[in-house]
Amino acid sequence: MTGRAKRICYRIFLIVCGLAAVLGTVLIACSAIDYVRAEEYSYLWVFGFAVGLLLIFPVNTLVHELGHLVFGTLAGMRFSSIRFSRIRIVRIGKHLSGNIMRMSEVAGACEMYPRNDRHVRGKMIVFTLGGAVFSTVGSVAVLVCYHLMPLSPALYFFSLFAPLSILEAFAALYPVETATGKTDGAVMLGLIKKSPDAIVALNVLTAQGILSGGSYRNIKRDLLYNVPVVREDDTGFLALLSLRFGYEMVQGNVAAAMDALRRLESLFDELPALSRTEVACDLVYAYCVLEPDPEHAEKFMTEAANGMGTCAYYRAIAAYSALQGELTEATFSRAQVAADGETIVGIRELEKELLTRIPNSF
Protein backbone atom coordinates (compact mmCIF):
# COMPACT_ATOMS: atom_id res chain seq x y z
CA MET A 1 0.00 0.00 0.00
CA THR A 2 1.37 3.43 -0.97
CA GLY A 3 1.87 6.23 1.53
CA ARG A 4 -1.07 8.15 0.06
CA ALA A 5 -3.36 5.13 0.36
CA LYS A 6 -2.29 4.66 3.99
CA ARG A 7 -3.14 8.27 4.77
CA ILE A 8 -6.56 7.92 3.13
CA CYS A 9 -7.27 4.82 5.22
CA TYR A 10 -6.13 6.74 8.29
CA ARG A 11 -8.57 9.57 7.55
CA ILE A 12 -11.42 7.07 7.11
CA PHE A 13 -10.41 5.42 10.39
CA LEU A 14 -10.44 8.81 12.15
CA ILE A 15 -13.86 9.68 10.73
CA VAL A 16 -15.41 6.40 11.88
CA CYS A 17 -13.81 6.56 15.34
CA GLY A 18 -14.57 10.28 15.57
CA LEU A 19 -18.27 9.72 14.91
CA ALA A 20 -18.30 6.97 17.55
CA ALA A 21 -16.62 9.34 20.05
CA VAL A 22 -19.11 12.12 19.29
CA LEU A 23 -22.04 9.71 19.70
CA GLY A 24 -20.65 8.46 23.00
CA THR A 25 -20.13 12.02 24.27
CA VAL A 26 -23.70 13.01 23.27
CA LEU A 27 -25.16 10.00 25.09
CA ILE A 28 -23.16 10.85 28.23
CA ALA A 29 -24.18 14.51 27.98
CA CYS A 30 -27.88 13.56 27.66
CA SER A 31 -27.71 11.35 30.75
CA ALA A 32 -27.90 14.47 32.91
CA ILE A 33 -31.12 15.79 31.36
CA ASP A 34 -33.33 14.35 34.09
CA TYR A 35 -31.16 15.98 36.76
CA VAL A 36 -31.46 19.37 35.02
CA ARG A 37 -35.23 18.94 34.76
CA ALA A 38 -35.23 18.30 38.49
CA GLU A 39 -33.56 21.72 38.82
CA GLU A 40 -30.12 20.35 39.67
CA TYR A 41 -28.44 22.98 37.55
CA SER A 42 -24.95 22.02 38.64
CA TYR A 43 -24.92 19.48 35.79
CA LEU A 44 -25.76 22.23 33.31
CA TRP A 45 -22.89 24.32 34.61
CA VAL A 46 -20.55 21.32 34.43
CA PHE A 47 -21.57 20.66 30.83
CA GLY A 48 -21.02 24.29 29.85
CA PHE A 49 -17.65 24.37 31.58
CA ALA A 50 -16.56 21.13 29.88
CA VAL A 51 -17.54 22.44 26.43
CA GLY A 52 -15.80 25.76 27.03
CA LEU A 53 -12.68 24.03 28.32
CA LEU A 54 -12.58 21.71 25.32
CA LEU A 55 -12.73 24.68 22.94
CA ILE A 56 -9.77 26.48 24.49
CA PHE A 57 -7.72 23.68 26.03
CA PRO A 58 -6.93 20.21 24.60
CA VAL A 59 -7.71 18.13 27.69
CA ASN A 60 -7.53 14.79 25.87
CA THR A 61 -4.14 15.71 24.37
CA LEU A 62 -2.83 16.74 27.78
CA VAL A 63 -3.87 13.37 29.25
CA HIS A 64 -2.16 11.54 26.38
CA GLU A 65 1.12 13.43 26.77
CA LEU A 66 1.04 12.95 30.54
CA GLY A 67 0.86 9.23 29.80
CA HIS A 68 4.12 9.44 27.85
CA LEU A 69 5.64 11.40 30.73
CA VAL A 70 4.54 8.92 33.41
CA PHE A 71 5.55 5.79 31.50
CA GLY A 72 8.82 7.35 30.35
CA THR A 73 9.69 8.26 33.94
CA LEU A 74 8.87 4.74 35.11
CA ALA A 75 11.12 3.37 32.33
CA GLY A 76 14.04 5.49 33.58
CA MET A 77 13.92 8.43 31.18
CA ARG A 78 14.41 12.09 32.02
CA PHE A 79 11.92 14.85 31.22
CA SER A 80 12.93 17.42 28.63
CA SER A 81 9.70 19.13 27.51
CA ILE A 82 5.98 18.61 27.12
CA ARG A 83 3.71 20.43 24.70
CA PHE A 84 -0.02 20.53 24.11
CA SER A 85 -1.45 22.92 21.52
CA ARG A 86 0.61 26.14 21.85
CA ILE A 87 1.57 25.63 25.49
CA ARG A 88 5.04 24.27 26.16
CA ILE A 89 6.71 23.41 29.46
CA VAL A 90 10.43 22.81 29.20
CA ARG A 91 13.19 21.86 31.59
CA ILE A 92 16.13 24.27 31.48
CA GLY A 93 18.91 23.07 33.75
CA LYS A 94 17.27 22.38 37.10
CA HIS A 95 14.28 24.61 36.48
CA LEU A 96 10.96 24.33 34.67
CA SER A 97 9.63 27.15 32.54
CA GLY A 98 6.58 27.60 30.36
CA ASN A 99 5.88 29.61 27.27
CA ILE A 100 3.27 30.12 24.58
CA MET A 101 4.52 29.05 21.17
CA ARG A 102 3.79 31.14 18.09
CA MET A 103 2.31 28.15 16.32
CA SER A 104 1.59 24.49 16.95
CA GLU A 105 3.00 22.03 14.42
CA VAL A 106 1.32 19.09 16.16
CA ALA A 107 -1.43 18.74 18.76
CA GLY A 108 1.00 17.61 21.44
CA ALA A 109 4.42 16.16 22.13
CA CYS A 110 6.47 14.90 25.06
CA GLU A 111 10.27 14.81 24.84
CA MET A 112 12.36 12.66 27.14
CA TYR A 113 15.83 11.14 26.95
CA PRO A 114 17.47 8.15 28.68
CA ARG A 115 19.43 8.59 31.90
CA ASN A 116 22.02 6.15 30.53
CA ASP A 117 22.73 4.08 27.42
CA ARG A 118 21.31 0.77 28.72
CA HIS A 119 18.16 -0.87 27.31
CA VAL A 120 17.32 2.21 25.23
CA ARG A 121 15.07 0.32 22.80
CA GLY A 122 12.97 -1.15 25.61
CA LYS A 123 12.66 2.22 27.34
CA MET A 124 11.58 3.81 24.08
CA ILE A 125 8.89 1.17 23.52
CA VAL A 126 7.46 1.77 27.01
CA PHE A 127 7.59 5.54 26.51
CA THR A 128 5.90 5.33 23.09
CA LEU A 129 3.07 3.11 24.35
CA GLY A 130 2.55 5.21 27.47
CA GLY A 131 0.30 7.85 25.95
CA ALA A 132 -2.24 5.45 24.48
CA VAL A 133 -2.23 3.12 27.50
CA PHE A 134 -2.67 6.00 29.96
CA SER A 135 -5.52 7.55 27.95
CA THR A 136 -7.31 4.24 27.42
CA VAL A 137 -6.99 2.84 30.94
CA GLY A 138 -7.97 6.14 32.53
CA SER A 139 -10.98 6.61 30.26
CA VAL A 140 -12.19 3.03 30.67
CA ALA A 141 -11.92 3.37 34.45
CA VAL A 142 -14.01 6.56 34.33
CA LEU A 143 -16.64 4.91 32.10
CA VAL A 144 -16.85 1.88 34.41
CA CYS A 145 -17.47 4.22 37.33
CA TYR A 146 -20.02 6.09 35.23
CA HIS A 147 -22.02 2.89 34.67
CA LEU A 148 -21.65 1.41 38.16
CA MET A 149 -21.84 4.43 40.44
CA PRO A 150 -24.53 7.07 41.00
CA LEU A 151 -23.95 10.08 38.77
CA SER A 152 -22.35 13.10 40.39
CA PRO A 153 -21.22 16.42 38.84
CA ALA A 154 -17.53 15.41 39.15
CA LEU A 155 -18.09 11.98 37.56
CA TYR A 156 -20.23 13.59 34.86
CA PHE A 157 -17.43 16.06 34.06
CA PHE A 158 -14.71 13.43 33.63
CA SER A 159 -17.03 11.08 31.72
CA LEU A 160 -17.64 13.75 29.08
CA PHE A 161 -13.95 13.63 28.12
CA ALA A 162 -13.60 9.82 28.15
CA PRO A 163 -14.72 9.12 24.54
CA LEU A 164 -12.37 11.79 23.16
CA SER A 165 -9.45 10.41 25.17
CA ILE A 166 -10.09 6.93 23.78
CA LEU A 167 -10.24 8.44 20.28
CA GLU A 168 -6.87 10.12 20.94
CA ALA A 169 -5.38 6.77 21.94
CA PHE A 170 -6.72 4.92 18.88
CA ALA A 171 -5.57 7.68 16.53
CA ALA A 172 -2.08 7.58 18.06
CA LEU A 173 -1.78 3.79 17.78
CA TYR A 174 -2.72 3.69 14.08
CA PRO A 175 0.63 3.14 12.28
CA VAL A 176 0.95 5.89 9.68
CA GLU A 177 3.11 8.88 8.84
CA THR A 178 1.09 12.08 8.55
CA ALA A 179 2.09 15.58 7.47
CA THR A 180 3.10 16.33 11.09
CA GLY A 181 5.17 13.17 11.54
CA LYS A 182 4.83 9.56 12.61
CA THR A 183 2.09 8.42 14.96
CA ASP A 184 3.02 6.47 18.08
CA GLY A 185 1.92 3.31 16.27
CA ALA A 186 4.30 4.01 13.38
CA VAL A 187 7.17 4.69 15.80
CA MET A 188 6.38 1.46 17.65
CA LEU A 189 6.29 -0.55 14.43
CA GLY A 190 9.66 0.88 13.42
CA LEU A 191 11.17 -0.04 16.78
CA ILE A 192 9.86 -3.61 16.49
CA LYS A 193 11.07 -4.03 12.90
CA LYS A 194 14.29 -2.06 13.53
CA SER A 195 13.68 0.12 10.50
CA PRO A 196 16.46 2.52 9.36
CA ASP A 197 14.79 5.59 10.89
CA ALA A 198 14.23 3.70 14.16
CA ILE A 199 17.91 2.70 14.28
CA VAL A 200 18.94 6.34 13.77
CA ALA A 201 16.54 7.43 16.53
CA LEU A 202 17.90 4.77 18.89
CA ASN A 203 21.49 5.86 18.15
CA VAL A 204 20.50 9.44 19.00
CA LEU A 205 18.86 8.35 22.24
CA THR A 206 21.84 6.16 23.15
CA ALA A 207 24.18 9.11 22.62
CA GLN A 208 21.90 11.31 24.74
CA GLY A 209 21.95 8.63 27.43
CA ILE A 210 25.75 8.69 27.42
CA LEU A 211 25.78 12.49 27.64
CA SER A 212 23.38 12.42 30.57
CA GLY A 213 26.18 11.31 32.88
CA GLY A 214 29.27 11.37 30.68
CA SER A 215 31.10 13.14 27.90
CA TYR A 216 31.04 13.40 24.12
CA ARG A 217 34.42 11.68 24.39
CA ASN A 218 32.60 8.58 25.70
CA ILE A 219 30.56 8.34 22.49
CA LYS A 220 31.93 5.97 19.87
CA ARG A 221 32.24 7.65 16.49
CA ASP A 222 30.36 4.82 14.74
CA LEU A 223 27.29 5.60 16.85
CA LEU A 224 26.96 8.96 15.09
CA TYR A 225 28.36 8.18 11.67
CA ASN A 226 27.81 4.48 10.94
CA VAL A 227 24.05 4.74 10.52
CA PRO A 228 21.52 3.69 7.85
CA VAL A 229 20.60 6.16 5.14
CA VAL A 230 17.35 8.00 5.92
CA ARG A 231 15.60 11.07 4.58
CA GLU A 232 17.39 14.33 5.34
CA ASP A 233 14.26 15.79 6.94
CA ASP A 234 13.91 12.83 9.32
CA THR A 235 13.82 14.20 12.88
CA GLY A 236 16.28 11.56 14.08
CA PHE A 237 18.79 12.49 11.38
CA LEU A 238 18.46 16.19 12.20
CA ALA A 239 19.17 15.41 15.86
CA LEU A 240 22.13 13.30 14.75
CA LEU A 241 23.61 16.29 12.92
CA SER A 242 23.38 18.39 16.11
CA LEU A 243 25.15 15.63 18.03
CA ARG A 244 27.87 15.50 15.37
CA PHE A 245 28.45 19.24 15.83
CA GLY A 246 28.97 18.82 19.56
CA TYR A 247 31.06 15.67 19.13
CA GLU A 248 33.45 17.28 16.67
CA MET A 249 33.78 20.47 18.72
CA VAL A 250 34.76 18.53 21.83
CA GLN A 251 37.26 16.55 19.73
CA GLY A 252 38.69 19.83 18.40
CA ASN A 253 37.65 19.16 14.79
CA VAL A 254 36.19 22.58 13.97
CA ALA A 255 36.00 21.95 10.21
CA ALA A 256 33.98 18.75 10.70
CA ALA A 257 31.76 20.51 13.24
CA MET A 258 31.06 23.29 10.73
CA ASP A 259 30.23 20.70 8.06
CA ALA A 260 27.52 19.26 10.31
CA LEU A 261 26.22 22.72 11.19
CA ARG A 262 26.16 23.89 7.57
CA ARG A 263 24.14 20.81 6.68
CA LEU A 264 21.68 21.72 9.43
CA GLU A 265 21.58 25.25 8.05
CA SER A 266 20.65 23.91 4.61
CA LEU A 267 17.76 22.03 6.26
CA PHE A 268 16.81 24.85 8.63
CA ASP A 269 13.28 25.24 7.27
CA GLU A 270 12.67 21.51 7.76
CA LEU A 271 13.53 21.62 11.46
CA PRO A 272 10.76 21.27 14.05
CA ALA A 273 10.07 24.57 15.83
CA LEU A 274 11.60 23.32 19.08
CA SER A 275 14.88 22.30 17.40
CA ARG A 276 15.05 25.35 15.13
CA THR A 277 15.74 27.72 18.00
CA GLU A 278 18.66 25.70 19.37
CA VAL A 279 20.20 25.32 15.91
CA ALA A 280 19.79 29.07 15.34
CA CYS A 281 21.79 29.72 18.55
CA ASP A 282 24.53 27.36 17.32
CA LEU A 283 24.60 29.11 13.94
CA VAL A 284 24.88 32.55 15.54
CA TYR A 285 27.75 31.28 17.66
CA ALA A 286 29.49 29.61 14.71
CA TYR A 287 29.26 32.68 12.46
CA CYS A 288 30.51 34.90 15.27
CA VAL A 289 33.36 32.75 16.59
CA LEU A 290 34.29 29.79 14.38
CA GLU A 291 33.87 31.43 10.96
CA PRO A 292 33.10 35.12 11.62
CA ASP A 293 30.42 36.38 9.25
CA PRO A 294 28.28 39.21 10.73
CA GLU A 295 25.65 39.04 7.99
CA HIS A 296 25.12 35.30 8.46
CA ALA A 297 25.03 35.65 12.25
CA GLU A 298 22.44 38.44 12.08
CA LYS A 299 20.21 36.26 9.91
CA PHE A 300 19.57 33.83 12.78
CA MET A 301 19.39 36.28 15.71
CA THR A 302 15.59 36.62 15.65
CA GLU A 303 15.04 32.87 15.87
CA ALA A 304 17.79 32.49 18.49
CA ALA A 305 15.97 35.00 20.72
CA ASN A 306 13.20 32.41 21.23
CA GLY A 307 15.68 30.35 23.25
CA MET A 308 15.96 32.87 26.07
CA GLY A 309 16.86 31.10 29.30
CA THR A 310 18.91 28.32 27.71
CA CYS A 311 22.68 27.85 27.68
CA ALA A 312 22.71 28.05 23.90
CA TYR A 313 20.95 31.45 23.96
CA TYR A 314 23.33 33.09 26.42
CA ARG A 315 26.29 31.62 24.55
CA ALA A 316 24.96 33.03 21.27
CA ILE A 317 24.45 36.49 22.83
CA ALA A 318 27.98 36.45 24.24
CA ALA A 319 29.42 35.42 20.87
CA TYR A 320 27.42 38.07 18.99
CA SER A 321 28.44 40.77 21.48
CA ALA A 322 32.09 39.77 21.07
CA LEU A 323 31.79 40.01 17.28
CA GLN A 324 30.37 43.53 17.67
CA GLY A 325 33.15 44.46 20.12
CA GLU A 326 30.54 44.97 22.86
CA LEU A 327 31.05 41.91 25.06
CA THR A 328 30.88 42.79 28.75
CA GLU A 329 31.97 40.76 31.74
CA ALA A 330 28.33 40.59 32.89
CA THR A 331 27.16 39.10 29.58
CA PHE A 332 29.94 36.53 29.53
CA SER A 333 29.40 35.70 33.19
CA ARG A 334 25.70 35.07 32.53
CA ALA A 335 26.64 32.54 29.85
CA GLN A 336 29.06 30.85 32.25
CA VAL A 337 26.42 30.62 34.99
CA ALA A 338 23.96 29.08 32.52
CA ALA A 339 26.57 26.53 31.44
CA ASP A 340 27.39 25.66 35.06
CA GLY A 341 23.69 25.08 35.74
CA GLU A 342 23.23 22.60 32.90
CA THR A 343 22.22 19.24 34.39
CA ILE A 344 23.28 17.10 31.40
CA VAL A 345 26.96 16.42 32.02
CA GLY A 346 27.98 16.13 28.36
CA ILE A 347 26.14 19.30 27.33
CA ARG A 348 27.68 21.18 30.26
CA GLU A 349 31.14 20.11 29.07
CA LEU A 350 30.35 21.22 25.51
CA GLU A 351 29.00 24.60 26.60
CA LYS A 352 32.12 25.33 28.62
CA GLU A 353 34.31 24.31 25.69
CA LEU A 354 32.39 26.62 23.34
CA LEU A 355 32.63 29.55 25.78
CA THR A 356 36.42 29.25 25.98
CA ARG A 357 36.57 30.05 22.24
CA ILE A 358 34.75 33.39 22.59
CA PRO A 359 37.38 36.18 22.53
CA ASN A 360 37.09 38.76 25.31
CA SER A 361 39.07 41.84 26.31
CA PHE A 362 37.84 42.48 29.84
Side-chain angles (χ1 to χ4, degrees), residues 284-293 318-320 322-323 354 357-359:
V284 170
Y285 171 86
Y287 288 123
C288 288
V289 177
L290 304 181
E291 292 184 3
D293 186 334
Y320 187 75
L323 184 66
L354 295 177
R357 294 176 177 269
I358 298 178

Side-chain angles (χ1 to χ4, degrees), residues 230-341:
V230 295
R231 285 174 11 196
E232 281 198 325
D233 62 349
D234 181 84
T235 54
F237 180 70
L238 296 172
L240 197 67
L241 289 176
S242 290
L243 286 168
R244 287 177 181 175
F245 168 71
Y247 175 83
E248 298 296 355
M249 286 302 302
V250 169
Q251 300 293 337
N253 302 325
V254 175
M258 284 302 301
D259 286 342
L261 203 53
R262 271 191 287 266
R263 197 166 181 186
L264 273 173
E265 182 182 2
S266 69
L267 299 167
F268 192 76
D269 293 336
E270 306 294 335
L271 292 169
L274 300 180
S275 301
R276 196 176 300 135
T277 298
E278 184 176 351
V279 172
C281 291
D282 289 340
L283 287 166
V284 170
Y285 171 86
Y287 288 123
C288 288
V289 177
L290 304 181
E291 292 184 3
D293 186 334
E295 186 176 340
H296 251 83
E298 181 69 33
K299 178 181 176 182
F300 297 101
M301 279 299 295
T302 301
E303 181 62 44
N306 293 321
M308 184 176 294
T310 65
C311 294
Y313 168 77
Y314 292 117
R315 169 177 31 95
I317 294 300
Y320 187 75
S321 299
L323 184 66
Q324 302 297 319
E326 300 172 353
L327 180 61
T328 64
E329 186 172 0
T331 300
F332 191 75
S333 177
R334 185 66 187 87
Q336 288 181 313
V337 169
D340 289 337

Side-chain angles (χ1 to χ4, degrees), residues 191-203:
L191 289 169
I192 293 172
K193 292 184 174 181
K194 296 184 179 180
S195 62
D197 56 329
I199 292 174
V200 170
L202 288 173
N203 280 23

Side-chain angles (χ1 to χ4, degrees), residues 149-231:
M149 298 174 61
L151 193 64
S152 66
L155 181 57
Y156 180 61
F157 174 79
F158 288 110
S159 297
L160 287 170
F161 291 102
L164 288 177
S165 291
I166 293 176
L167 171 63
E168 179 97 17
F170 283 12
L173 286 177
Y174 192 102
V176 69
E177 182 170 5
T178 68
T180 57
K182 295 182 179 68
T183 62
D184 292 343
V187 172
M188 174 65 66
L189 193 61
L191 289 169
I192 293 172
K193 292 184 174 181
K194 296 184 179 180
S195 62
D197 56 329
I199 292 174
V200 170
L202 288 173
N203 280 23
V204 168
L205 288 168
T206 301
Q208 291 174 338
I210 292 171
L211 293 176
S212 182
S215 164
Y216 272 97
R217 293 183 175 86
N218 300 131
I219 298 176
K220 294 181 180 179
R221 185 178 180 82
D222 282 353
L223 191 66
L224 303 183
Y225 286 93
N226 187 18
V227 295
V229 176
V230 295
R231 285 174 11 196

Side-chain angles (χ1 to χ4, degrees), residues 21-36:
V22 169
L23 177 61
T25 304
V26 170
L27 291 175
I28 292 172
C30 291
S31 66
I33 290 178
D34 290 340
Y35 291 91
V36 175

